[in-house]
């Protein structure tokens, strides 16, 4: 555990050195928040739709971008780069699991940028968000639990897609597919409760809605405590299933790599 | 002129060959971009039609707005994205200095040698499809005049986008940093995904007169569909896109050349 924490710290520290990137991050986060403020003001005004107010939507937007920027990662391009320059053999020699090493690396890399982007938006948002949108204790707890599951699930999905890099010449395009599905079935841009019925039904059977959408639903108190077991166990099931699959793929990948080297 | 066309053609061939070296990747990339854009188009359409309207524009009208933007962006980006995003790297590596020694103007050489980016085929194809579907859903009566209007608007939009790429790359002459100006350009562009009438007057003013991205899609689409423009703005404004496009494009080249004059090689 401790060694992974060191990886996390190292990757966090290397991010902090980029001052101008931090400033650019703040400006960019504020600009996209501005767009969302005016969009939802125009759509909702002072009204309520599907039990959603302007203030709820601002929280939705803030939490979604927080969770996405915390969990984003392009594992495929990391593997691709280290296969091209040959450092992949070094990665495999490390006395730790490549998967958890990558996990620690991604979160260390993301956490600073996420804070930089979230704090200014929260400051502006706090003037616009009404206390009625805020959750009670039980929902906060459920939010925290499903956020952890969602973040791990996001990592699992990107890691799984990233492992495909072992079989592809180039893999910049993998993230396009992932983004498409995440946008459409994950409710990362537009809440799934505004979707036509059949589409939102399909989304229950895919992993994407359990990444950020369900955690945010808890925070906004849209999922009552007595039905909390459903999204939480769905996220757990997806986590278990995907990590079983990635183990298989990993073994196949290492075998293939060994063949290439021999 | 003939000479330049020939030059462009041979550089274009190189670009196509470079992409086709990884044919599978190229195709998988095109499909991936379709998936991603289709998702974005669909979510925005679902959102607007679930509410009925955003700032007096209905779902199909917002699709025209968004499709026009994507099309104009992609046309501009196919010529200028590689050029703009790569300039600071090429300066750092010293490749750029090679362009200074060629028998054509360095600006022209940079644009030709950085390569026409054929990856934008996916943007272009999907936005044409979306535009056609949206316009027929709106029962837009297509005439020769209408087609010419759309084409001139798209070309003007591409010129505005090209100007934005050229202008933001000028920054690379003065600082050896990453392309954060380019990122900022993208952040500002995001404002035009929705009708600018939903924003306060200050933002409308900026998008019209300071960083006039609204001429890439909002004003052309307003002219095409007969939508309201911000109150108090002259009624001919929606037809000004071609003027804005040519003017900005010329200005951006002047800016770039001015930057070039102040450029000092890194010596690498």
């Amino acid at each position: 555990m401790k060694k992974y924490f060191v990886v996390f710290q190292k990757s966090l520290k290397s991010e902090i050195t980029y001052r101008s990137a931090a400033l650019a991050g703040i400006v960019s986060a504020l600009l996209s928040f501005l767009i969302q403020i005016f969009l939802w003001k125009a759509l909702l005004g002072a009204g309520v739709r599907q039990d959603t107010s302007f203030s709820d939507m601002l929280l939705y937007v803030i939490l979604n971008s927080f969770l996405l920027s915390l969990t984003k990662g392009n594992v495929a391009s990391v593997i691709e780069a280290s296969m091209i320059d040959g450092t992949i053999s070094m990665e495999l020699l490390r006395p730790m699991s490549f998967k958890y090493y990558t996990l620690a690396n991604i979160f260390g890399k993301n956490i600073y940028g996420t804070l930089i982007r979230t704090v200014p938006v929260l400051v502006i948002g706090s003037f616009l968000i009404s206390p009625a949108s805020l959750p009670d204790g039980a929902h906060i707890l459920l939010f925290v639990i499903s956020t952890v599951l969602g973040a791990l699930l996001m990592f699992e999905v990107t890691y799984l897609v990233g492992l495909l890099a072992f079989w592809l010449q180039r893999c910049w395009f993998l993230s396009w597919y992932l983004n498409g599905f995440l946008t459409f079935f994950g409710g990362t841009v537009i809440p799934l409760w505004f979707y036509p019925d059949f589409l939102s039904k399909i989304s229950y059977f895919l992993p994407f809605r359990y990444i950020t959408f369900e955690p945010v639903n808890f925070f906004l108190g849209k999922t009552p405590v007595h039905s909390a077991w459903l999204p939480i166990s769905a996220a757990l099931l997806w986590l278990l299933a995907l990590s079983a699959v990635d183990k298989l793929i990993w073994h196949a990948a290492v075998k293939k790599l060994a063949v290439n080297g021999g | 002129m003939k000479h330049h066309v020939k030059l462009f053609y041979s550089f274009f061939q190189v670009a196509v060959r470079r992409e086709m070296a990884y044919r599978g990747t190229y195709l998988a990339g095109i499909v991936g971009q379709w998936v991603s854009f289709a998702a974005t188009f669909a979510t925005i359409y679902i959102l607007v039609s679930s509410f009925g309207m955003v700032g007096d524009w209905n779902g199909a009208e917002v699709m025209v707005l968004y499709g026009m933007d994507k099309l104009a962006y992609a046309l501009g980006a196919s010529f200028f994205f590689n050029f703009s995003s790569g300039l600071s790297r090429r300066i750092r590596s010293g490749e750029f200095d090679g362009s200074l020694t060629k028998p054509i103007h360095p600006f022209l050489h940079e644009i030709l040698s950085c390569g026409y980016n054929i990856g934008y085929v996916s943007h272009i194809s999907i936005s044409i499809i979306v535009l056609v579907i949206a316009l027929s859903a709106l029962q837009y009566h297509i005439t020769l005049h209408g087609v010419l209007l759309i084409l001139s608007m798209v070309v003007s939009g591409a010129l505005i986008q090209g100007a934005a790429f050229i202008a933001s790359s000028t920054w690379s002459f003065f600082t050896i940093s990453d392309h954060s100006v380019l990122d900022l350009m993208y952040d500002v562009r995001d404002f035009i995904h929705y009708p600018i009438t939903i924003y306060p007057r200050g933002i409308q003013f900026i998008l019209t007169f300071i960083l006039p991205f609204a001429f890439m899609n909002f004003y052309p689409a307003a002219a095409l569909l007969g939508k309201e423009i911000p109150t108090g703005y002259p009624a001919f404004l929606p037809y000004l896109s071609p003027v804005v496009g040519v003017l900005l494009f010329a200005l951006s080249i002047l800016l770039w050349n001015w930057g070039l004059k102040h450029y000092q090689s890194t010596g690498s």
Side-chain angles (χ1 to χ4, degrees), chain A residues 174-189:
Chain A
L174 286 175
S175 60
W176 286 92
Y177 288 88
L178 194 57
N179 278 340
F181 281 97
L182 197 59
T183 307
F184 196 69
F185 289 114
T188 53
V189 181

Side-chain angles (χ1 to χ4, degrees), chain A residues 20-21 24 27-29 31-32 34-36 38-40 42-44 49-50 169-173 176-177 179-181 183-184 189-191 194-196 199, chain B residues 22 25 27-33 35-37 39-40 42-44 46-47 50-55 123 178 180 184 187-188 190-191 194 198-200 203:
Chain A
S20 68
V27 173
S28 151
L31 284 177
S32 40
L34 259 190
I35 298 177
Q36 295 294 329
F38 294 118
L39 171 66
W40 292 101
L43 288 173
L44 284 161
R49 188 119 176 179
Q50 311 271 45
Q169 298 159 315
R170 309 273 299 272
C171 44
W172 53 269
F173 57 85
W176 286 92
Y177 288 88
N179 278 340
F181 281 97
T183 307
F184 196 69
V189 181
I190 282 134
F194 292 125
Y195 272 42
L199 284 176
Chain B
Y22 298 100
T25 303
L27 289 176
I30 300 275
V31 177
Q33 283 172 318
V35 169
S36 178
F37 292 132
T40 313
T43 41
I44 293 184
I46 289 171
L47 176 74
S50 138
F51 281 87
M53 294 272 182
V54 52
H123 289 70
D178 48 2
S180 55
L184 188 65
D187 292 327
V188 175
D190 283 347
F191 277 86
Y194 304 101
I198 69 169
Y199 302 118
I203 294 181

Side-chain angles (χ1 to χ4, degrees), chain B residues 8-267:
Chain B
F8 176 76
Y9 182 67
S10 40
F11 275 113
F12 179 75
Q13 276 182 318
V14 173
V16 172
R17 265 189 226 138
R18 192 170 42 209
E19 286 293 336
M20 286 308 160
Y22 298 100
R23 195 179 303 249
T25 303
Y26 179 68
L27 289 176
I30 300 275
V31 177
Q33 283 172 318
W34 276 337
V35 169
S36 178
F37 292 132
T40 313
F41 275 115
T43 41
I44 293 184
Y45 182 75
I46 289 171
L47 176 74
V48 178
S49 41
S50 138
F51 281 87
M53 294 272 182
V54 52
D56 293 327
W57 291 56
N58 69 27
E61 288 166 341
V62 172
M63 286 298 100
V64 173
L65 191 72
Y66 198 57
M68 214 168 220
D69 168 46
K70 265 265 155 342
L71 185 56
Y73 165 77
L75 278 180
S78 355
F79 291 97
F80 299 105
F81 177 79
N82 290 2
F83 158 80
S84 178
S85 65
L87 186 61
S88 73
R89 181 184 50 78
R90 292 163 67 85
I91 286 178
R92 245 175 298 157
S93 72
E95 276 171 90
F96 175 74
D97 292 352
S99 281
L100 298 175
T101 63
K102 296 294 185 299
I104 54 172
H105 193 277
F107 177 74
L108 215 51
H109 185 264
E110 273 294 298
I111 286 179
L112 293 175
S113 64
C114 287
Y116 179 85
N117 190 327
I118 59 172
Y120 284 100
V121 160
S122 52
H123 289 70
I124 294 173
S125 50
I126 198 163
S127 39
I128 290 177
I129 292 170
V130 168
L131 272 178
V132 169
I133 295 177
L135 284 174
S136 57
L138 290 167
Q139 291 171 346
Y140 179 76
H141 193 66
I142 205 88
T143 55
L144 182 65
H145 171 251
V147 172
L148 287 178
L149 183 67
I150 295 177
L151 279 181
S152 69
M153 297 298 188
V154 168
V155 172
S156 328
L159 284 176
I160 296 174
Q161 185 57 54
F165 275 124
I166 296 168
S168 35
S169 77
T170 305
W171 182 248
S172 317
F173 289 127
F174 299 96
T175 167
I176 321 167
S177 76
D178 48 2
H179 39 260
S180 55
V181 179
L182 201 60
D183 294 337
L184 188 65
M185 190 272 288
Y186 279 107
D187 292 327
V188 175
R189 266 184 50 81
D190 283 347
F191 277 86
I192 61 169
H193 288 172
Y194 304 101
I196 65 165
T197 40
I198 69 169
Y199 302 118
R201 294 197 62 86
I203 294 181
Q204 293 172 356
F205 184 83
I206 292 175
L207 293 173
T208 306
F209 298 109
I210 314 284
L211 301 165
F213 286 113
F215 283 100
M216 283 183 70
N217 67 342
F218 174 76
Y219 288 114
L224 201 66
L225 305 170
K227 307 300 287 184
E228 294 272 330
I229 62 168
T231 43
Y233 285 8
F236 60 82
L237 212 57
Y239 297 94
L240 278 191
S241 287
V243 182
V244 175
V246 171
L247 199 69
L248 283 182
F249 195 72
L251 281 177
S252 71
I253 294 178
L254 286 179
L255 180 74
W256 199 89
N257 279 324
W258 173 80
L260 179 63
K261 231 180 249 157
H262 293 80
Y263 163 70
Q264 286 167 323
S265 171
T266 53

Side-chain angles (χ1 to χ4, degrees), chain A residues 121-213:
Chain A
V121 167
L122 265 183
V123 171
I124 309 272
S126 63
F127 292 101
L128 300 165
I129 291 166
S130 81
S133 306
L134 297 174
D136 54 29
H139 277 100
I140 291 186
L141 184 66
L142 287 169
F143 168 73
V144 172
I145 294 171
S146 75
T147 296
V148 172
L149 291 177
L152 289 176
L153 190 55
M154 176 74 168
F155 170 72
E156 197 62 64
V157 173
T158 42
Y159 178 69
L160 200 61
V161 172
L163 285 184
L164 298 179
F166 282 106
W167 284 272
L168 299 167
Q169 298 159 315
R170 309 273 299 272
C171 44
W172 53 269
F173 57 85
L174 286 175
S175 60
W176 286 92
Y177 288 88
L178 194 57
N179 278 340
F181 281 97
L182 197 59
T183 307
F184 196 69
F185 289 114
T188 53
V189 181
I190 282 134
L192 293 168
W193 60 78
F194 292 125
Y195 272 42
D197 221 23
F198 76 101
L199 284 176
S200 78
K201 274 201 184 110
I202 296 176
S203 74
Y204 278 101
F205 298 97
L206 296 167
F208 307 105
R209 69 176 285 144
Y210 307 104
I211 293 173
T212 68
F213 184 68

Side-chain angles (χ1 to χ4, degrees), chain A residues 68-262:
Chain A
L68 279 180
S69 88
L70 186 66
T71 53
K72 67 161 189 239
N74 200 338
V75 183
S77 67
V78 175
I79 296 182
E80 182 186 29
S82 60
M83 288 214 333
I84 288 172
D85 64 16
T87 47
I88 187 74
S89 52
M90 292 297 294
E91 315 262 3
L92 295 177
L93 280 175
R94 281 206 188 87
M96 48 177 123
S97 132
F98 180 70
K99 181 175 168 184
Y100 297 117
Y101 167 75
T102 313
L103 179 76
N105 221 344
I106 284 188
F107 283 106
K109 207 178 162 95
N110 288 349
I111 202 153
Y112 176 69
T114 303
L115 288 180
I116 289 281
R117 293 179 69 97
T118 308
V119 172
V121 167
L122 265 183
V123 171
I124 309 272
S126 63
F127 292 101
L128 300 165
I129 291 166
S130 81
S133 306
L134 297 174
D136 54 29
H139 277 100
I140 291 186
L141 184 66
L142 287 169
F143 168 73
V144 172
I145 294 171
S146 75
T147 296
V148 172
L149 291 177
L152 289 176
L153 190 55
M154 176 74 168
F155 170 72
E156 197 62 64
V157 173
T158 42
Y159 178 69
L160 200 61
V161 172
L163 285 184
L164 298 179
F166 282 106
W167 284 272
L168 299 167
Q169 298 159 315
R170 309 273 299 272
C171 44
W172 53 269
F173 57 85
L174 286 175
S175 60
W176 286 92
Y177 288 88
L178 194 57
N179 278 340
F181 281 97
L182 197 59
T183 307
F184 196 69
F185 289 114
T188 53
V189 181
I190 282 134
L192 293 168
W193 60 78
F194 292 125
Y195 272 42
D197 221 23
F198 76 101
L199 284 176
S200 78
K201 274 201 184 110
I202 296 176
S203 74
Y204 278 101
F205 298 97
L206 296 167
F208 307 105
R209 69 176 285 144
Y210 307 104
I211 293 173
T212 68
F213 184 68
E214 292 296 353
V216 177
N217 268 349
F218 280 125
F219 199 88
L220 293 176
K222 291 203 172 272
T223 315
V225 177
H226 63 83
S227 34
W229 62 274
L230 184 73
I232 288 189
S233 45
L236 266 174
L237 276 179
W238 272 112
L239 262 180
L240 289 176
L242 293 181
S243 56
V245 174
D246 82 44
K247 231 173 232 137
L248 289 177
I249 297 191
W250 173 252
H251 283 303
V254 171
K255 212 174 260 167
K256 180 187 172 285
L257 201 68
V259 172
N260 277 354

